[in-house]
Short mmCIF file of all heavy atoms in Angstrom, two decimals:
data_model
loop_
_atom_site.label_atom_id
_atom_site.label_comp_id
_atom_site.label_asym_id
_atom_site.label_seq_id
_atom_site.Cartn_x
_atom_site.Cartn_y
_atom_site.Cartn_z
N ASP A 198 -18.47 5.73 13.79
CA ASP A 198 -17.89 4.62 14.55
C ASP A 198 -16.51 4.90 15.11
O ASP A 198 -16.22 4.58 16.27
CB ASP A 198 -17.83 3.36 13.68
CG ASP A 198 -19.19 2.76 13.40
OD1 ASP A 198 -20.10 2.94 14.24
OD2 ASP A 198 -19.36 2.11 12.36
N ALA A 199 -15.62 5.45 14.29
CA ALA A 199 -14.24 5.66 14.75
C ALA A 199 -14.19 6.57 15.96
O ALA A 199 -13.39 6.37 16.88
CB ALA A 199 -13.40 6.23 13.62
N GLU A 200 -15.08 7.57 15.98
CA GLU A 200 -15.11 8.47 17.13
C GLU A 200 -15.69 7.78 18.35
O GLU A 200 -15.14 7.89 19.46
CB GLU A 200 -15.94 9.71 16.80
CG GLU A 200 -16.06 10.69 17.97
CD GLU A 200 -16.93 11.89 17.67
OE1 GLU A 200 -17.48 11.97 16.55
OE2 GLU A 200 -17.08 12.75 18.56
N LYS A 201 -16.81 7.06 18.17
CA LYS A 201 -17.49 6.44 19.31
C LYS A 201 -16.66 5.32 19.94
O LYS A 201 -16.72 5.11 21.15
CB LYS A 201 -18.84 5.89 18.87
CG LYS A 201 -19.81 6.93 18.33
CD LYS A 201 -20.20 7.95 19.37
CE LYS A 201 -21.28 8.90 18.84
NZ LYS A 201 -21.62 9.96 19.80
N VAL A 202 -15.89 4.60 19.11
CA VAL A 202 -15.14 3.45 19.62
C VAL A 202 -13.71 3.82 19.99
O VAL A 202 -13.22 3.43 21.05
CB VAL A 202 -15.14 2.30 18.58
CG1 VAL A 202 -14.33 1.10 19.11
CG2 VAL A 202 -16.56 1.87 18.25
N PHE A 203 -13.04 4.60 19.14
CA PHE A 203 -11.62 4.86 19.36
C PHE A 203 -11.27 6.33 19.56
O PHE A 203 -10.10 6.69 19.65
CB PHE A 203 -10.81 4.31 18.18
CG PHE A 203 -10.89 2.81 18.05
CD1 PHE A 203 -11.34 2.23 16.87
CD2 PHE A 203 -10.52 1.99 19.10
CE1 PHE A 203 -11.43 0.85 16.74
CE2 PHE A 203 -10.60 0.61 18.99
CZ PHE A 203 -11.07 0.04 17.80
N GLY A 204 -12.27 7.20 19.62
CA GLY A 204 -12.01 8.61 19.88
C GLY A 204 -11.37 9.34 18.73
O GLY A 204 -10.80 10.42 18.92
N ILE A 205 -11.45 8.80 17.51
CA ILE A 205 -10.86 9.43 16.33
C ILE A 205 -11.97 10.18 15.59
O ILE A 205 -12.85 9.56 14.99
CB ILE A 205 -10.21 8.40 15.40
CG1 ILE A 205 -9.10 7.65 16.16
CG2 ILE A 205 -9.64 9.07 14.16
CD1 ILE A 205 -8.50 6.49 15.37
N ARG A 206 -11.94 11.49 15.63
CA ARG A 206 -13.03 12.31 15.10
C ARG A 206 -12.62 13.02 13.82
O ARG A 206 -11.51 13.53 13.70
CB ARG A 206 -13.48 13.34 16.14
CG ARG A 206 -14.72 14.13 15.73
CD ARG A 206 -15.11 15.14 16.81
NE ARG A 206 -16.40 15.74 16.51
CZ ARG A 206 -16.56 16.74 15.64
NH1 ARG A 206 -15.52 17.23 15.01
NH2 ARG A 206 -17.77 17.23 15.43
N ALA A 207 -13.53 13.04 12.87
CA ALA A 207 -13.28 13.77 11.62
C ALA A 207 -13.43 15.26 11.84
O ALA A 207 -14.40 15.72 12.45
CB ALA A 207 -14.25 13.30 10.53
N SER A 208 -12.50 16.03 11.32
CA SER A 208 -12.59 17.48 11.42
C SER A 208 -13.57 18.03 10.39
O SER A 208 -13.93 17.36 9.42
CB SER A 208 -11.21 18.10 11.18
OG SER A 208 -10.76 17.79 9.87
N LYS A 209 -14.03 19.22 10.61
CA LYS A 209 -14.92 19.95 9.69
C LYS A 209 -16.18 19.14 9.34
O LYS A 209 -16.64 19.12 8.20
CB LYS A 209 -14.17 20.30 8.40
CG LYS A 209 -12.92 21.14 8.62
CD LYS A 209 -12.19 21.38 7.31
CE LYS A 209 -10.89 22.15 7.54
NZ LYS A 209 -10.13 22.35 6.28
N THR A 210 -16.71 18.47 10.36
CA THR A 210 -17.84 17.57 10.14
C THR A 210 -18.91 17.80 11.19
O THR A 210 -18.61 17.96 12.37
CB THR A 210 -17.37 16.10 10.18
OG1 THR A 210 -16.64 15.82 8.98
CG2 THR A 210 -18.53 15.13 10.27
N ASP A 211 -20.17 17.81 10.75
CA ASP A 211 -21.32 17.88 11.65
C ASP A 211 -22.32 16.83 11.17
O ASP A 211 -23.05 17.04 10.20
CB ASP A 211 -21.95 19.27 11.62
CG ASP A 211 -23.09 19.42 12.62
OD1 ASP A 211 -23.62 18.39 13.08
OD2 ASP A 211 -23.46 20.57 12.94
N ILE A 212 -22.34 15.68 11.84
CA ILE A 212 -23.15 14.55 11.40
C ILE A 212 -24.64 14.89 11.46
O ILE A 212 -25.41 14.52 10.57
CB ILE A 212 -22.85 13.31 12.26
CG1 ILE A 212 -21.42 12.84 11.98
CG2 ILE A 212 -23.84 12.19 11.98
CD1 ILE A 212 -20.90 11.84 12.97
N THR A 213 -25.06 15.62 12.48
CA THR A 213 -26.47 15.95 12.64
C THR A 213 -27.00 16.76 11.47
O THR A 213 -28.10 16.54 10.97
CB THR A 213 -26.71 16.72 13.95
OG1 THR A 213 -26.24 15.91 15.05
CG2 THR A 213 -28.19 17.00 14.15
N SER A 214 -26.20 17.71 10.99
CA SER A 214 -26.63 18.54 9.87
C SER A 214 -26.31 17.90 8.52
O SER A 214 -26.73 18.41 7.47
CB SER A 214 -25.94 19.91 9.94
OG SER A 214 -24.55 19.79 9.72
N GLY A 215 -25.59 16.79 8.55
CA GLY A 215 -25.24 16.10 7.31
C GLY A 215 -24.05 16.69 6.58
O GLY A 215 -23.83 16.40 5.41
N GLU A 216 -23.26 17.49 7.26
CA GLU A 216 -22.07 18.08 6.65
C GLU A 216 -20.85 17.22 6.96
O GLU A 216 -20.36 17.19 8.08
CB GLU A 216 -21.87 19.51 7.18
CG GLU A 216 -23.00 20.47 6.81
CD GLU A 216 -22.79 21.86 7.39
OE1 GLU A 216 -21.69 22.11 7.92
OE2 GLU A 216 -23.72 22.67 7.31
N LEU A 217 -20.37 16.49 5.94
CA LEU A 217 -19.26 15.57 6.12
C LEU A 217 -18.07 16.03 5.29
O LEU A 217 -18.21 16.38 4.12
CB LEU A 217 -19.66 14.15 5.68
CG LEU A 217 -20.93 13.58 6.33
CD1 LEU A 217 -21.16 12.15 5.84
CD2 LEU A 217 -20.86 13.61 7.85
N SER A 218 -16.90 16.00 5.89
CA SER A 218 -15.68 16.48 5.23
C SER A 218 -14.86 15.31 4.69
O SER A 218 -14.43 14.44 5.46
CB SER A 218 -14.83 17.28 6.23
OG SER A 218 -13.51 17.42 5.78
N ASP A 219 -14.64 15.27 3.38
CA ASP A 219 -13.78 14.23 2.80
C ASP A 219 -12.39 14.28 3.41
O ASP A 219 -11.81 13.24 3.73
CB ASP A 219 -13.69 14.42 1.29
CG ASP A 219 -14.95 14.00 0.56
OD1 ASP A 219 -15.90 13.53 1.24
OD2 ASP A 219 -15.00 14.15 -0.67
N GLU A 220 -11.87 15.48 3.58
CA GLU A 220 -10.53 15.62 4.15
C GLU A 220 -10.48 15.05 5.57
O GLU A 220 -9.54 14.36 5.94
CB GLU A 220 -10.15 17.10 4.18
CG GLU A 220 -8.79 17.38 4.79
CD GLU A 220 -8.50 18.87 4.91
OE1 GLU A 220 -9.22 19.68 4.29
OE2 GLU A 220 -7.55 19.22 5.63
N GLY A 221 -11.54 15.33 6.35
CA GLY A 221 -11.58 14.82 7.72
C GLY A 221 -11.61 13.31 7.78
O GLY A 221 -10.94 12.69 8.62
N TYR A 222 -12.35 12.68 6.87
CA TYR A 222 -12.45 11.22 6.90
C TYR A 222 -11.24 10.54 6.29
O TYR A 222 -10.92 9.39 6.63
CB TYR A 222 -13.76 10.76 6.24
CG TYR A 222 -14.91 10.97 7.21
CD1 TYR A 222 -15.78 12.04 7.05
CD2 TYR A 222 -15.07 10.14 8.31
CE1 TYR A 222 -16.80 12.26 7.97
CE2 TYR A 222 -16.08 10.36 9.23
CZ TYR A 222 -16.94 11.42 9.05
OH TYR A 222 -17.94 11.63 9.97
N ARG A 223 -10.52 11.21 5.41
CA ARG A 223 -9.24 10.68 4.96
C ARG A 223 -8.29 10.58 6.15
O ARG A 223 -7.57 9.58 6.31
CB ARG A 223 -8.65 11.59 3.89
CG ARG A 223 -9.33 11.50 2.54
CD ARG A 223 -8.61 12.34 1.50
NE ARG A 223 -9.23 12.23 0.20
CZ ARG A 223 -8.68 12.62 -0.93
NH1 ARG A 223 -7.48 13.20 -0.91
NH2 ARG A 223 -9.32 12.47 -2.08
N ASP A 224 -8.31 11.59 6.99
CA ASP A 224 -7.46 11.58 8.18
C ASP A 224 -7.89 10.47 9.15
O ASP A 224 -7.04 9.80 9.74
CB ASP A 224 -7.52 12.94 8.87
CG ASP A 224 -6.60 13.00 10.09
OD1 ASP A 224 -5.40 12.73 9.96
OD2 ASP A 224 -7.13 13.29 11.19
N VAL A 225 -9.21 10.27 9.31
CA VAL A 225 -9.70 9.20 10.17
C VAL A 225 -9.21 7.85 9.66
O VAL A 225 -8.73 7.00 10.43
CB VAL A 225 -11.24 9.22 10.23
CG1 VAL A 225 -11.77 7.94 10.89
CG2 VAL A 225 -11.72 10.44 11.01
N ALA A 226 -9.35 7.60 8.36
CA ALA A 226 -8.91 6.34 7.78
C ALA A 226 -7.42 6.11 7.99
O ALA A 226 -6.99 4.99 8.34
CB ALA A 226 -9.24 6.31 6.28
N LYS A 227 -6.63 7.14 7.80
CA LYS A 227 -5.17 7.01 7.99
C LYS A 227 -4.83 6.75 9.45
O LYS A 227 -3.96 5.91 9.75
CB LYS A 227 -4.45 8.25 7.50
CG LYS A 227 -2.92 8.10 7.49
CD LYS A 227 -2.23 9.31 6.90
CE LYS A 227 -0.74 9.04 6.70
NZ LYS A 227 -0.07 8.58 7.93
N GLN A 228 -5.50 7.44 10.37
CA GLN A 228 -5.23 7.21 11.78
C GLN A 228 -5.57 5.78 12.19
O GLN A 228 -4.83 5.14 12.96
CB GLN A 228 -6.02 8.20 12.64
CG GLN A 228 -5.50 9.61 12.63
CD GLN A 228 -6.14 10.45 13.73
OE1 GLN A 228 -6.08 10.11 14.91
NE2 GLN A 228 -6.77 11.55 13.32
N LEU A 229 -6.70 5.26 11.69
CA LEU A 229 -7.07 3.87 11.99
C LEU A 229 -6.03 2.90 11.45
O LEU A 229 -5.59 1.97 12.14
CB LEU A 229 -8.44 3.56 11.40
CG LEU A 229 -9.65 4.14 12.12
CD1 LEU A 229 -10.91 3.96 11.28
CD2 LEU A 229 -9.84 3.49 13.49
N ALA A 230 -5.62 3.11 10.19
CA ALA A 230 -4.63 2.22 9.57
C ALA A 230 -3.29 2.30 10.30
O ALA A 230 -2.63 1.26 10.53
CB ALA A 230 -4.46 2.56 8.09
#
Side-chain angles (χ1 to χ4, degrees):
D198 289 332
E200 178 183 1
K201 299 297 185 184
V202 179
F203 296 123
I205 301 173
R206 187 180 188 280
S208 62
K209 302 176 183 178
T210 287
D211 184 342
I212 293 167
T213 302
S214 68
E216 296 178 9
L217 307 183
S218 163
D219 286 358
E220 178 185 346
Y222 283 103
R223 287 185 178 194
D224 182 55
V225 169
K227 188 176 189 306
Q228 286 193 57
L229 285 170

